Amino acid sequence: MNWNWQLDGWIVAAGMLCAVASALLGNFLVLRRLSMLGDAVSHAILPGLAVAFFISNSRSSLPMFLGAVIVGILTALFTEWIRGVGKVDEGASMGVVFTSLFALGLVMIVQAADRVDLDAGCVLYGAIEATPLDRISILGLDVPRAAAVLFGVMIVNLLFVVIFFKELKLSSFDPSLATSMGFSATVMHYALMVLVAVTAVASFESVGNILVVAMFIVPPATANLLTDRLGRMIVLSSIIAAVGAASGHVAAVVVPTWFGFRSTTTAGMMAVMVGVFFIIALLFAPRQGLIIRWIRNRALSLQILCDDIVAYLYRQQERSESTDTVPAANERELADELFAKRWQLRMALLTLWRRNELTLDENGYQLTDNGRQHARELVRSHRLWEQYLVSEASLDATRIHDKAERLEHFTDRQLRDQLCDATESPSRDPHGSEIPSEQE
Amino acid sequence: MLLLLLTCIPALAAPTQASAQSITDRRIEWPSGEQWRRVVLLEDYNTRVVIFGVAVLGVAAGLVGSFTLLRKRALLGDALSHASLPGIAAAFMFAGVMGMDGKSLPILLFGATVSGLLGVGLVLVIQRQTRLKEDAGLGIALSVFFGAGMALLGVVQQMDTGHAAGLESFIYGKTASMNANDARLIAAASCVAILGCLLLFKEFKLLCFDENFAGSRGMPVLLLDLTLMALVVLVTIVGLQAVGLILMVALMVIPAAAGRFWSERMWTVAGLAALLGGIGGIIGAASSALFPRLPSGAMIVLTCTALFLFSMMFGTARGVLVRLLRRRRLNRRVRKQHLLRGLYELLESKPANKQAKRNMAVPIEELLSIRSWSSTQLRRTIAQAESDQYLVQRDGTVRLTQAGYAEAARLTRQHRLWELYLISYAEVAPGRVDRDADDIEHVLEPELVDELEALLDQEPLRIPVPASPHGVIHEASDSQGQHP
């Protein structure tokens, strides 16, 4: 790896600053369902640049910056105006506004094509790799201009979030309550819009607007999957954004070499890396991850099947005591009776065997003492529930089996005692079957 | 903006020589008659191709866009357009490795389609499996896929197969340089999309308006959703390479939003969206042909936006002006009813027999003291009532005509029946009931009045107008505000 701290360090620094600045505000965009507004603002700033050029007759940074910021704010205003006055869906009004402003900017730029060297590719892709080449001196330190600007923007965003945290939180979740408590949710909304526009404009020349959009949305969305608290969500999203930016540049330098190429676009890889983090959270988040939930569901399913097997064997044993037959079951019989797939059944049988609740002899599967006790508890739960549903909930005796079948798996000793007290210690269930005692 | 443009450009131009026009002179030239004729009659081959292609694409995009709009996925086209970039780059790389022509359009379109579908799949997974909303899903798919595309393009630049130049411009489009093959491809894809929408119109409509009901009726909601997404992908991907990303987003969103202002019926909205998309495309492309320095894609977007703004202001169903007119008409009706009821209550309080009351003249000054009317407003309302022949105005007094008296009695009766209902059944305090009754009496239907009569055991002929449950207030300082 060919790493030069003077160049690569500043690239990573600029990327991290942009990412953190965007992620701080992005939390509130995601919560307010305005995720696409960052994208809209980024696309719509073109006419602002063109107007700024015509007015100032120069390409110096400040007029262009102000022009773009003003149009970014106008994007939010127009979107809100069309949505409110025209009663148009938010996404549609956003689409109308930013495509129109972009088209208007294109027309204006083409009219002055020989005087403005704005390039569409630069707007979309940025040139973060060139960041270290444009330097200014601050307090004797030699730093790239983009890094300095982005640092300032990040500080402003951080102060905004910290100082107005309570107001932002309230107006994001309950705008009416916020307004009735004395500060205007609308004012907070437009303050947020101003900073979104400033962040998008400050970032686009160095890193391109796609990275800005990625950082506005992906780290907050990832954090949203990992935590339920807004404060933690903000901190987590900032960390994810920073790590994504840093690892993005490293990946841009390293990954292509695996396939025999040199480096690739840093901004693109930064977006990809935060995307990778999001996918990981989507799959493995502690409570909402798809794979975690799948595993949890499978474990529950297995447990229920195990319970059904031992309960079935217990009932068979009950019947055999009155008919003098040998109680046993084979795999095929169990699969048919319990509507289970063979592979699921085998896994359940193996689990029960490992728990020493089941044994296999020449006649088929048998309960051990442990298994018999487990089964007694299950059957007792089932029949107590049936008695309770009939005597306390006034359900008809023909309609209680399915409910009891579901409830028995989640009934512990304490709940069984409560059911027993509530139904005055019945010895038989509504079907006439004996309710086994807690201990043999 | 255009005026500013026209003002700035002459100042920016270099001084022109006496007899020759400078190369830097960029003023917009008004087209000559010959140019007008050539464009309007479609004499130029290139103009014909472009206008045809864009018009057909506009129709298809408008039609499909009306469904995505109602599904509140207006920006799906935007996410799709961005998400197609990695597919394009990957298709190029794959074709290069396989020794095929990397710039082959079918290969690139195939890559773009696969990538777009994966992006849509990610949006659906995020929406259905997490608590994140759809807009977050769109943003994530858009930015992450586009970033991947950028990274892959960076690699493509280094491939030995070469001639990767221009691949980036795939998503910028080339409207003005569209060729006949492009137009045919667009026409074919558009026909498929239009046909799909027409064949599945009923199902898509139900999906847009009541997804749960569609599911309960046995429709395969998820499959329909994916089919609609596939149509969006088809139109977007084919249109993307021809007309570019921003124009594609605009065509998917703006005509559909514009059509929505004109009707509440799905057939009409979809038809108008298609029509507006086609018209916008034609006018935009034609104006670009007329004015050589205006980019065609941008002109099409601006034309569609102009149609949108026109629809927003003047649309017959939901336009701003139409709603404004409806509100003003309602306000005028309410004021007139207040006037008649005020007159009736004033006459009712006079110590005279019934017949004499009917013909009694009331000074306008006395009317002013009943409610917080402004003098101008009251006089205007009186003029309106006079034109309806409810009252006659003379010498600063007004007198109810026979029709006016009957109408005033009906209105007052309606008001008081509702008051009695609120007191008896909604337990509203008598002191507050006047305002509450005022809010709703203006929209009571005759059937409802009959129900109120039966409910309150009032014989219509015995007591034509029930006595007011509270005293009629005369002092201006205690009067009720007007209808909000």
Side-chain angles (χ1 to χ4, degrees):
Chain A
M1 179 168 85
N2 185 22
W3 185 273
N4 183 331
W5 275 104
Q6 274 300 304
L7 293 178
D8 294 296
W10 280 120
I11 292 173
V12 170
M16 290 175 72
L17 291 169
C18 165
V20 173
S22 304
L24 286 167
L25 301 182
N27 288 278
F28 301 104
L29 293 182
V30 169
L31 290 173
R32 293 156 183 255
R33 300 184 179 223
L34 292 173
S35 303
M36 295 295 276
L37 192 59
D39 182 50
V41 168
S42 302
H43 282 79
I45 57 181
L46 203 52
L49 300 175
V51 171
F53 173 79
F54 286 130
I55 292 177
S56 66
N57 204 11
S58 74
R59 284 193 60 255
S60 60
S61 295
L62 190 58
M64 306 292 269
F65 188 91
L66 287 179
V69 168
I70 289 169
V71 174
I73 296 164
L74 286 179
T75 303
L77 283 167
F78 287 160
T79 297
E80 192 60 29
W81 181 72
I82 289 179
R83 192 187 67 81
V85 173
K87 301 212 181 301
V88 180
D89 173 60
E90 179 104 38
S93 65
M94 213 179 286
V96 173
V97 170
F98 89 79
T99 55
S100 307
L101 288 176
F102 190 83
L104 189 63
L106 264 186
V107 171
M108 300 174 76
I109 283 179
V110 167
Q111 290 304 305
D114 58 338
R115 296 176 179 276
V116 187
D117 59 0
L118 291 173
D119 175 39
C122 183
V123 172
L124 281 177
Y125 302 129
I128 190 171
E129 293 86 351
T131 299
L133 306 180
D134 181 4
R135 293 172 175 269
I136 57 177
S137 181
I138 297 180
L139 304 177
L141 290 175
D142 194 19
V143 298
R145 176 193 308 277
V149 171
L150 288 169
F151 181 78
V153 170
M154 188 195 72
I155 292 298
V156 170
N157 289 356
L158 184 62
L159 289 175
F160 177 71
V161 170
V162 170
I163 292 174
F164 295 106
F165 179 76
K166 176 168 63 70
E167 289 83 358
L168 281 166
K169 179 178 181 179
L170 204 47
S171 59
S172 293
F173 288 108
D174 196 341
S176 302
L177 178 59
T179 301
S180 69
M181 282 175 60
F183 56 91
S184 173
T186 304
V187 169
M188 297 308 301
H189 175 74
Y190 282 109
L192 182 65
M193 290 305 107
V194 169
L195 288 182
V196 168
V198 169
T199 306
V201 173
S203 304
F204 97 95
E205 187 173 355
S206 56
V207 304
N209 69 3
I210 293 303
L211 179 55
V212 178
V213 175
M215 293 304 179
F216 270 131
I217 304 173
V218 184
T222 307
N224 188 257
L225 297 180
L226 295 171
T227 180
D228 289 332
R229 301 185 65 82
L230 180 57
R232 272 185 230 145
M233 179 175 163
I234 294 174
V235 174
L236 262 178
S237 65
S238 302
I239 293 171
I240 292 165
V243 173
S247 60
H249 184 58
V250 172
V253 173
V254 171
V255 170
T257 61
W258 300 345
F259 304 93
F261 298 105
R262 294 187 307 276
S263 63
T264 185
T265 312
T266 289
M269 285 307 292
M270 286 178 176
V272 171
M273 288 311 293
V274 289
V276 168
F277 293 160
F278 176 80
I279 298 292
I280 292 172
L282 180 67
L283 297 178
F284 297 104
R287 287 210 263 141
Q288 292 201 52
L290 301 187
I291 288 184
I292 299 299
R293 279 155 57 193
W294 185 86
I295 290 173
R296 207 183 293 134
N297 284 340
R298 293 251 61 84
L300 181 61
S301 185
L302 180 67
Q303 179 58 45
I304 289 175
L305 185 54
C306 290
D307 290 352
D308 286 344
I309 290 171
V310 294
Y312 174 80
L313 291 176
Y314 183 89
R315 288 186 176 89
Q316 251 211 346
Q317 194 170 54
E318 274 188 333
R319 281 193 293 272
S320 73
E321 285 171 2
S322 60
T323 61
D324 260 345
T325 59
V326 179
N330 58 32
E331 199 172 292
R332 175 188 176 83
E333 183 180 342
L334 285 170
D336 291 344
E337 290 288 338
L338 300 177
F339 307 113
K341 295 185 177 67
R342 298 298 282 265
W343 68 270
Q344 288 174 329
L345 185 68
R346 284 191 190 122
M347 186 165 298
L349 292 171
L350 182 62
T351 303
L352 289 169
W353 179 80
R354 217 183 282 123
R355 289 184 197 163
N356 194 28
E357 295 186 3
L358 199 71
T359 185
L360 178 64
D361 63 11
E362 67 278 2
N363 293 315
Y365 289 101
Q366 302 260 13
L367 291 173
T368 64
D369 288 345
N370 284 346
R372 193 168 300 109
Q373 177 61 26
H374 183 195
R376 288 172 61 87
E377 293 166 3
L378 280 167
V379 172
R380 177 173 168 81
S381 300
H382 183 95
R383 290 170 182 173
L384 282 173
W385 270 115
E386 286 185 332
Q387 180 64 27
Y388 178 88
L389 290 172
V390 167
S391 64
E392 300 296 328
S394 305
L395 292 189
D396 189 71
T398 59
R399 293 171 40 208
I400 56 179
H401 180 75
D402 285 344
K403 288 182 168 59
E405 184 77 7
R406 270 194 287 272
L407 291 164
E408 71 183 43
H409 301 290
F410 308 100
T411 307
D412 59 7
R413 175 64 185 271
Q414 182 179 351
L415 185 50
R416 282 198 295 273
D417 289 346
Q418 291 178 24
L419 287 170
C420 195
D421 292 342
T423 55
E424 299 171 1
S425 305
S427 61
R428 293 188 176 272
D429 75 359
H431 302 310
S433 304
E434 180 183 356
I435 299 181
S437 59
E438 196 68 43
Q439 297 288 346
E440 206 155 35
Chain B
M1 287 301 178
L2 205 57
L3 282 180
L4 175 63
L5 197 71
L6 289 169
T7 305
C8 288
I9 293 225
L12 298 173
T16 58
Q17 298 178 11
S19 61
Q21 182 171 320
S22 169
I23 193 172
T24 60
D25 188 349
R26 297 289 180 175
R27 285 170 293 183
I28 297 177
E29 302 172 12
W30 193 255
S32 65
E34 172 67 12
Q35 284 173 303
W36 274 103
R37 189 181 63 81
R38 292 172 64 89
V39 170
V40 171
L41 296 183
L42 300 180
E43 286 189 357
D44 297 318
Y45 172 80
N46 179 250
T47 303
R48 281 204 303 277
V49 168
V50 171
I51 289 180
F52 170 75
V54 172
V56 174
L57 184 64
V59 170
L63 187 55
V64 177
S66 57
F67 291 111
T68 56
L69 175 76
L70 289 167
R71 203 110 169 80
K72 298 195 184 300
R73 289 182 179 152
L75 293 176
L76 183 66
D78 190 22
L80 260 168
S81 304
H82 286 81
S84 63
L85 188 59
I88 294 166
F92 181 89
M93 296 169 75
F94 179 82
V97 170
M98 291 293 138
M100 290 180 280
D101 176 17
K103 304 292 276 296
S104 168
L105 191 59
I107 291 177
L108 293 182
L109 285 182
F110 178 77
T113 302
V114 171
S115 192
L117 286 172
L118 287 176
V120 170
L122 180 60
V123 173
L124 279 181
V125 168
I126 290 170
Q127 183 198 359
R128 289 173 178 265
Q129 300 292 340
T130 74
R131 59 186 169 191
L132 295 168
K133 300 301 181 290
E134 184 142 22
D135 63 316
L138 288 173
I140 291 167
L142 182 156
S143 54
V144 173
F145 272 71
F146 196 76
M150 292 163 61
L152 285 178
L153 282 181
V155 171
V156 163
Q157 303 298 331
Q158 310 173 44
M159 289 180 66
D160 295 336
T161 54
H163 54 262
L167 201 63
E168 288 180 7
S169 65
F170 191 91
I171 62 169
Y172 297 144
K174 47 187 171 67
T175 314
S177 56
M178 191 189 297
N179 60 41
N181 285 334
D182 294 329
R184 278 190 215 107
L185 181 60
I186 288 175
S190 299
C191 287
V192 171
I194 293 169
L195 200 62
C197 283
L198 294 181
L199 290 178
L200 294 169
F201 191 87
K202 176 166 66 73
E203 287 80 4
F204 282 162
K205 181 165 78 167
L206 202 47
L207 182 74
C208 290
F209 286 109
D210 197 338
E211 185 174 347
N212 290 331
F213 179 65
S216 71
R217 293 249 299 163
M219 290 187 183
V221 168
L222 185 59
L223 190 60
L224 283 171
D225 212 3
L226 291 175
T227 304
L228 182 55
M229 297 278 220
L231 290 179
V232 175
V233 170
L234 175 65
V235 174
T236 304
I237 298 300
V238 169
L240 185 70
Q241 55 88 27
V243 301
L245 189 152
I246 295 297
L247 174 51
M248 206 55 236
V249 176
L251 284 181
M252 292 289 293
V253 172
I254 300 182
R260 187 75 181 85
F261 288 112
W262 293 97
S263 177
E264 305 284 358
R265 303 181 65 81
M266 188 64 206
W267 264 114
T268 311
V269 171
L272 277 173
L275 185 66
L276 291 171
I279 291 176
I282 292 171
I283 295 179
S287 59
S288 175
L290 279 167
F291 299 89
R293 291 187 186 84
L294 298 179
S296 53
M299 288 310 297
I300 293 167
V301 175
L302 292 178
T303 304
C304 289
T305 302
L307 292 173
F308 172 85
L309 290 176
F310 179 84
S311 300
M312 189 170 109
M313 298 309 293
F314 300 104
T316 51
R318 289 157 67 100
V320 171
L321 287 190
V322 164
R323 282 189 279 122
L324 212 58
L325 288 177
R326 284 187 196 136
R327 182 182 298 276
R328 289 186 62 223
R329 193 176 301 125
L330 178 65
N331 285 345
R332 193 184 305 127
R333 188 163 73 96
V334 166
R335 278 200 299 272
K336 191 168 57 182
Q337 292 185 355
H338 281 164
L339 171 64
L340 291 178
R341 184 156 64 81
L343 274 171
Y344 184 89
E345 289 177 345
L346 199 57
L347 292 176
E348 191 183 41
S349 66
K350 299 290 186 181
N353 63 52
K354 188 164 192 172
Q355 185 58 41
K357 282 184 191 179
R358 183 181 293 256
N359 292 300
M360 190 173 292
V362 178
I364 292 180
E365 286 74 24
E366 197 168 345
L367 272 178
L368 279 170
S369 67
I370 293 177
R371 284 179 171 265
S372 59
W373 281 313
S374 71
S375 179
T376 304
Q377 198 175 70
L378 177 59
R379 289 178 194 282
R380 191 177 298 129
T381 308
I382 288 173
Q384 287 164 11
E386 189 168 16
S387 71
D388 292 335
Q389 299 184 4
Y390 284 149
L391 52 78
V392 174
Q393 184 179 193
R394 182 187 303 140
D395 301 333
T397 66
V398 294
R399 182 170 58 82
L400 286 168
T401 63
Q402 184 161 352
Y405 190 86
E407 176 71 2
R410 183 187 73 80
L411 290 170
T412 307
R413 181 161 172 274
Q414 196 162 283
H415 177 86
R416 289 176 181 172
L417 282 173
W418 190 249
E419 281 181 338
L420 288 173
Y421 175 83
L422 288 177
I423 291 171
S424 302
Y425 290 92
E427 298 182 0
V428 175
R432 281 174 27 89
V433 77
D434 192 43
R435 173 178 287 276
D436 288 343
D438 203 37
D439 285 341
I440 199 160
E441 69 187 61
H442 304 290
V443 294
L444 289 179
E445 299 287 336
E447 295 80 16
L448 188 53
V449 175
D450 290 344
E451 288 180 30
L452 286 175
E453 289 176 9
L455 203 58
L456 297 168
D457 293 323
Q458 299 288 339
E459 300 260 344
L461 295 180
R462 184 175 304 171
I463 309 175
V465 180
S468 174
H470 59 81
V472 175
I473 301 168
H474 293 296
E475 289 76 19
S477 60
D478 291 331
S479 66
Q480 300 290 328
Q482 290 196 45
H483 191 282

